[in-house]
Amino acid sequence: MDIETLKELLISDTSLFVSAKPEIVEIGDGNINRVFRATASSGQTYIIKYASSQANISSSIRLNKTRGRRESDYLKAIWQQMPAYVPEVFGYSEKNHYIIMQDLSLRYSVLQQEIAAGKQYDFLAQKLAAYVAVAGYAFSDFSLPLEKKAAMQKQFSNPQMCALTERLVFTEPYSDCRNNRFSEENRAFVNREIYLNPNAAKAAKQLKDIFMHCPQSLIHGDLHFGSVFVSEKDIKVFDPEFCFFGPIGYDLGNLLAHFLLQYAYHAAIENNDSIPICTWLKKQAMCLLAEFEKRFLEQAGVSALSAEKEQAVRDVIRQVLCHTAGFAGAECIRRIVGLAKVSAFVFDGVTEKTHYERCALSIGKYLLEKYETFTTVRAFNEQLNSLLR
Ligand code: SR1
Ligand code: MG
């Protein structure tokens, strides 16, 4: 997609740029898509996200261009439930595979970069947990009638993007695959702790099965800190092209993993895990789980439920918590061993990077192997307390 063609398309496909061609600049540097900012003659700006057939991160990854339709449908579905938490969608071109959405860049920054730079936000874990709990409950079996769920499962069926996750998150990091890359200094460690570790392989296989066969709710499917905008007051979730009906713990686990990866990063670059940002990240990680449970129970209206219905809700929370630990472990491991890294992390030298990788891998391996023991918020608090300083 070149910029002149996009200008023509925006004029012919939409009524947002009636009087003159928009100004367009390419702003995206993500792994998969091309992202542009279009400025209308009125000065109003929009984000245009174009789904190309080839991923930026690897020319061998070919994707179906129609994925933007699901992304736009997901944002609209969440907008109905919690409009403050997602960008507004102004249109989607079926023919030309781009979404037009609200430009948030004046007030918001990408969370991943902000935390890597050392920023702390009091509200962060609370808002992230509220997002997963409210969306998770709204599209779960507790809320959706069977027929509506069947229709939505069809609408959000996303086999190609799910297959990519199955490969990049649950498969490739567990063998000496040619896509894998990490510091040479950690080769023996990765060999021993990950590639040749039957417990890690077994848990990764179980979690892959859960990812594939647990249509608990409509989930974002790639909810890392690069998929969240943050301002001084709130957050907005974006980039849901991996969305599908899957386990709620996949979203919660991704968020947990990114608190932990940031912990490992800051501890490594400062060579000290007692610094304030590490203490804050640990507290936020614990708060994420506690707030999720609280908000999910609130959504269920637990105080007015029969004992039987309350038990059903508590059973789902228990299951989500275990899944969260396992998926968080898998996400930590794949961001170190696998193809896609946390792009905001930069290292001055080999030692810092090696320390970061080891710390994240040790945390990830623990969560992955022991995920079934994380049945309560208390279990998280106790185990995170012994894992992190
Ligand atoms: C080829 S895509 C690599 C990664 O980028 C996306 O954001 C997902 O996390 C995916 O796994
Ligand atoms: Mg993405």
Side-chain angles (χ1 to χ4, degrees):
M1 171 69 71
D2 65 80
I3 285 183
E4 280 313 309
T5 310
L6 184 56
K7 284 184 184 178
E8 303 285 344
L9 292 176
L10 288 174
I11 294 278
S12 59
D13 291 353
T14 82
S15 54
L16 295 169
F17 306 94
V18 270
S19 49
K21 279 188 188 174
E23 287 299 314
I24 295 187
V25 279
E26 184 154 10
I27 57 167
D29 61 353
N31 288 339
I32 304 188
N33 303 286
R34 301 197 44 208
V35 182
F36 305 86
R37 178 182 295 112
T39 308
S41 53
S42 64
Q44 182 69 48
T45 59
Y46 300 91
I47 296 300
I48 315 296
K49 182 169 174 184
Y50 172 67
S52 42
S53 54
Q54 192 172 302
N56 298 331
I57 194 173
S58 164
S59 55
S60 69
I61 297 178
R62 313 287 302 187
L63 296 166
N64 197 319
K65 289 179 165 193
T66 57
R67 63 189 182 276
R69 200 264 305 146
R70 270 180 305 273
E71 172 161 354
S72 136
D73 285 356
Y74 173 95
L75 291 172
K76 289 188 209 155
I78 298 289
W79 176 269
Q80 299 286 322
Q81 300 293 329
M82 36 190 344
Y85 278 82
V86 283
E88 187 172 3
V89 170
F90 299 114
Y92 171 63
S93 167
E94 286 284 349
K95 192 164 150 240
N96 296 305
H97 317 292
Y98 62 82
I99 309 172
I100 307 177
M101 58 191 137
Q102 187 182 4
D103 180 11
L104 296 166
S105 59
L106 274 184
R107 279 199 304 122
Y108 291 82
S109 316
V110 178
L111 180 60
Q112 182 177 282
Q113 269 82 6
E114 295 304 306
I115 309 285
K119 282 268 307 193
Q120 299 175 27
Y121 303 87
D122 293 348
F123 56 79
L124 187 59
Q126 272 181 356
K127 299 245 180 220
L128 291 169
Y131 180 83
V132 179
V134 174
Y137 192 85
F139 300 103
S140 72
D141 292 353
F142 295 121
S143 310
L144 290 183
L146 272 180
E147 279 174 18
K148 171 82 176 156
K149 177 169 176 180
M152 286 189 77
Q153 271 189 272
K154 200 166 159 201
Q155 179 187 8
F156 289 100
S157 163
N158 202 353
Q160 194 179 47
M161 301 306 272
C162 286
L164 192 54
T165 298
E166 286 150 28
R167 175 157 78 81
L168 294 179
V169 179
F170 299 109
T171 311
E172 289 185 356
Y174 298 93
S175 67
D176 191 1
C177 164
R178 74 185 169 91
N179 274 337
N180 294 350
R181 51 198 65 156
F182 48 86
S183 305
E184 212 32 54
E185 288 72 8
N186 279 330
R187 180 150 296 277
F189 186 81
V190 170
N191 257 322
R192 187 181 68 241
E193 302 294 330
I194 309 294
Y195 292 165
L196 301 173
N197 174 352
N199 296 332
K202 185 176 163 203
K205 164 84 176 59
Q206 287 172 358
L207 286 154
K208 183 179 180 177
D209 284 347
I210 294 165
F211 177 80
M212 293 168 75
H213 306 296
C214 179
Q216 211 164 32
S217 189
L218 177 60
I219 67 165
H220 179 285
D222 193 28
L223 195 49
H224 57 85
F225 284 3
S227 300
V228 179
F229 282 123
V230 67
S231 75
E232 291 307 322
K233 286 194 305 212
D234 64 354
I235 59 162
K236 302 259 186 199
V237 169
F238 68 105
D239 211 14
E241 66 199 312
F242 285 80
C243 65
F244 74 115
F245 270 77
I248 296 168
Y250 192 70
D251 279 354
L252 200 60
N254 259 268
L255 292 171
L256 175 61
H258 285 264
F259 279 114
L260 302 173
L261 287 162
Q262 291 277 355
Y263 176 100
Y265 172 67
H266 284 284
I269 60 170
E270 294 298 330
N271 194 23
N272 183 354
D273 56 9
S274 344
I275 50 178
I277 183 108
C278 287
T279 310
W280 176 76
L281 286 162
K282 176 179 161 181
K283 277 198 188 137
Q284 290 285 304
M286 291 176 174
C287 173
L288 181 76
L289 288 324
E291 280 291 317
F292 169 78
E293 179 176 62
K294 185 177 133 207
R295 294 300 300 260
F296 201 86
L297 288 169
E298 264 171 33
Q299 291 305 112
V302 74
S303 50
L305 292 180
S306 66
E308 195 187 341
K309 286 205 173 133
E310 178 178 343
Q311 193 53 52
V313 174
R314 290 194 184 275
D315 287 347
V316 166
I317 291 174
R318 196 179 165 87
Q319 189 184 40
V320 171
L321 291 176
C322 288
H323 292 173
T324 296
F327 290 134
E331 176 69 6
C332 287
I333 292 170
R334 75 93 167 211
R335 292 289 180 189
I336 304 302
V337 177
L339 177 71
K341 307 299 183 197
V342 179
S343 60
F345 293 169
V346 281
F347 300 92
D348 277 345
V350 176
T351 312
E352 286 183 1
K353 190 167 182 212
T354 314
H355 282 166
Y356 155 68
E357 290 177 348
R358 271 197 194 215
C359 175
L361 279 176
S362 303
I363 296 169
K365 179 180 163 272
Y366 184 94
L367 292 169
L368 180 76
E369 289 181 5
K370 299 208 183 310
Y371 80 93
E372 285 167 314
T373 68
F374 286 83
T375 51
T376 59
V377 170
R378 190 169 165 192
F380 270 99
N381 289 345
E382 284 171 4
Q383 299 194 66
L384 289 178
N385 257 328
S386 58
L387 264 178
L388 316 176
R389 251 179 95 98

